[in-house]
């Protein structure tokens, strides 16, 4: 039997073509999953209505919009997003000015802001093409430091970068890690991957899992497997707590 604490660390990414399919999956997963991520794929297919519905079902909702624009636009977008009553919203963590504008946009709301550091599907070569000579882990750390300085609640980062980010920030700073795969399973297009137990042991508060659950033959059993791994890591090492909402 896994603990309910372990369940709170799992966020399932609803990357699906239609909200109908997403709703069916949520119903099938039932009480096994308490936290969902709605991202760009569903945004243009009813994703915001789905986010509101999930909140009505007492689920936690992470709206993964990865905002990137001038500060004024990001500030106003965040201010409007606070009306949705969601738990997490992402902003690209590229510069301090925009991050500060985002923080100003959520004034007075409980919405938690997470900065995207370096996408987990990018390699050192991809970063070099953008003109940066930093290793992905160093760039991720730099951006995490900017987000921390701006007053963000946390970051999205690979599990491979979690320990250094934890050390450079604070125990309360949230580290949410996508690019999670069970030992020996396919990585799809992800590059900087980690197992759920290693990510939690490295200090991640939440892991984000999409295709290994959404495309599994038995999604509920797949979700349970991830929760078991989290539970084992918590028992062995402890970790940052899941967010209190
Ligand atoms: O299917 P998979 O588990 O690879 O999905 C990972 C999810 O995390 C996707 O929804 C993707 O958009 C998101 N994500 C990511 N890397 C980041 C930020 C978000 O993979 N740095």
């Amino acid at each position: 039997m896994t603990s309910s604490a372990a369940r709170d660390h799992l966020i399932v990414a609803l990357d699906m073509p239609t909200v109908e399919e997403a709703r069916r999956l949520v119903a099938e997963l039932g009480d096994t999953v308490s936290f969902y991520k709605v991202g760009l794929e569903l945004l243009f297919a009813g994703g915001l209505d789905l986010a509101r519905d999930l909140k009505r079902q007492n689920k936690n909702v992470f709206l993964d919009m990865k905002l990137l624009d001038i500060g004024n636009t990001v500030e106003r977008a965040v201010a409007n997003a606070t009306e949705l009553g969601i738990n997490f919203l992402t902003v690209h963590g590229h510069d301090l000015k925009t991050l500060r504008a985002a923080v100003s946009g959520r004034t007075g709301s409980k919405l938690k802001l997470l900065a995207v550091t370096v996408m987990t599907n990018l390699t050192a070569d991809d970063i070099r093409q953008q003109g940066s000579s930093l290793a992905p882990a160093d760039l991720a750390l730099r951006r995490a430091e900017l987000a921390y300085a701006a007053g963000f609640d946390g970051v999205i980062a690979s599990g491979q970068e979690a320990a250094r980010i934890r050390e450079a920030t604070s125990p309360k700073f949230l580290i949410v890690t996508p690019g999670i795969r069970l030992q020996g399973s396919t990585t799809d297009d992800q590059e900087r991957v980690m197992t759920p137990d290693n990510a939690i042991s490295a200090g991640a508060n939440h892991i984000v899992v999409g295709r290994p659950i959404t495309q599994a033959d038995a999604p509920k059993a797949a979700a349970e497997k991830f929760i078991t791994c989290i539970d084992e890591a918590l028992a062995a090492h402890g970790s940052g707590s899941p967010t209190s909402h």
Side-chain angles (χ1 to χ4, degrees), residues 79-147:
N80 276 344
T82 61
E83 304 297 323
L84 293 166
I86 51 162
N87 303 87
F88 290 173
L89 176 71
T90 42
V91 177
H92 270 294
H94 289 196
D95 67 277
L96 195 54
K97 279 195 298 199
T98 309
L99 291 166
R100 283 190 172 138
V103 169
S104 154
R106 69 94 188 264
T107 304
S109 143
K110 282 199 268 181
L111 172 67
K112 291 198 185 327
L113 291 173
L114 304 178
V116 179
T117 54
V118 177
M119 305 296 299
T120 43
N121 69 328
L122 299 183
T123 62
D125 276 348
D126 298 317
I127 307 287
R128 252 193 304 279
Q129 273 171 15
Q130 295 176 11
S132 168
S133 56
L134 289 180
D138 293 332
L139 185 56
L141 180 63
R142 181 74 203 116
R143 290 180 172 165
E145 285 168 344
L146 291 181

Side-chain angles (χ1 to χ4, degrees), residues 11-15 37-41 62 64 66 90 92 115-122 156-158 161 176-181 186-190 192-193 208-215 226:
I11 301 177
V12 173
L14 292 171
D15 295 324
K37 180 171 95 71
V38 176
L40 294 179
E41 184 173 355
F62 166 7
D64 190 14
K66 299 189 179 75
T90 42
H92 270 294
V116 179
T117 54
V118 177
M119 305 296 299
T120 43
N121 69 328
L122 299 183
I156 310 294
S158 159
E161 290 128 29
V176 178
T177 63
I180 296 293
R181 293 294 183 271
T186 168
T187 56
D188 302 302
D189 61 342
Q190 296 284 13
R192 302 189 335 278
V193 295
V208 176
V209 184
R211 288 161 289 185
I213 292 175
T214 60
Q215 295 181 9
F226 280 90

Side-chain angles (χ1 to χ4, degrees), residues 3-235:
S3 68
S4 70
R7 290 174 199 281
D8 295 339
H9 290 267
L10 173 68
I11 301 177
V12 173
L14 292 171
D15 295 324
M16 321 193 83
T18 66
V19 288
E20 288 71 28
E21 282 164 85
R23 282 185 215 281
R24 270 198 295 276
L25 181 69
V26 170
E28 186 178 342
L29 293 173
D31 291 338
T32 301
V33 174
S34 61
F35 213 141
Y36 287 100
K37 180 171 95 71
V38 176
L40 294 179
E41 184 173 355
L42 279 184
L43 174 65
F44 303 108
L48 294 184
D49 286 339
L50 175 68
R52 288 190 191 92
D53 282 359
L54 289 169
K55 284 307 297 179
R56 278 193 283 269
Q57 292 174 44
N58 284 325
K59 301 294 185 188
N60 293 312
V61 176
F62 166 7
L63 204 53
D64 190 14
M65 294 297 111
K66 299 189 179 75
L67 302 177
L68 179 60
D69 209 310
I70 61 168
N72 181 62
T73 304
V74 168
E75 180 175 345
R76 288 162 179 253
V78 170
N80 276 344
T82 61
E83 304 297 323
L84 293 166
I86 51 162
N87 303 87
F88 290 173
L89 176 71
T90 42
V91 177
H92 270 294
H94 289 196
D95 67 277
L96 195 54
K97 279 195 298 199
T98 309
L99 291 166
R100 283 190 172 138
V103 169
S104 154
R106 69 94 188 264
T107 304
S109 143
K110 282 199 268 181
L111 172 67
K112 291 198 185 327
L113 291 173
L114 304 178
V116 179
T117 54
V118 177
M119 305 296 299
T120 43
N121 69 328
L122 299 183
T123 62
D125 276 348
D126 298 317
I127 307 287
R128 252 193 304 279
Q129 273 171 15
Q130 295 176 11
S132 168
S133 56
L134 289 180
D138 293 332
L139 185 56
L141 180 63
R142 181 74 203 116
R143 290 180 172 165
E145 285 168 344
L146 291 181
Y148 187 60
F152 262 55
D153 300 285
V155 285
I156 310 294
S158 159
Q160 298 179 12
E161 290 128 29
R164 283 176 72 199
I165 292 174
R166 173 68 62 223
E167 207 180 290
T169 58
S170 81
K172 280 195 170 164
F173 197 59
L174 295 172
I175 302 176
V176 178
T177 63
I180 296 293
R181 293 294 183 271
L182 294 172
Q183 193 67 47
S185 74
T186 168
T187 56
D188 302 302
D189 61 342
Q190 296 284 13
E191 292 286 347
R192 302 189 335 278
V193 295
M194 209 178 220
T195 60
D197 38 330
N198 283 343
I200 293 292
S201 302
N205 301 83
H206 296 275
I207 59 167
V208 176
V209 184
R211 288 161 289 185
I213 292 175
T214 60
Q215 295 181 9
D217 292 336
K220 193 168 180 160
E224 291 288 1
K225 245 187 232 169
F226 280 90
I227 293 165
T228 300
C229 286
I230 294 170
D231 205 28
E232 285 167 4
L234 291 175

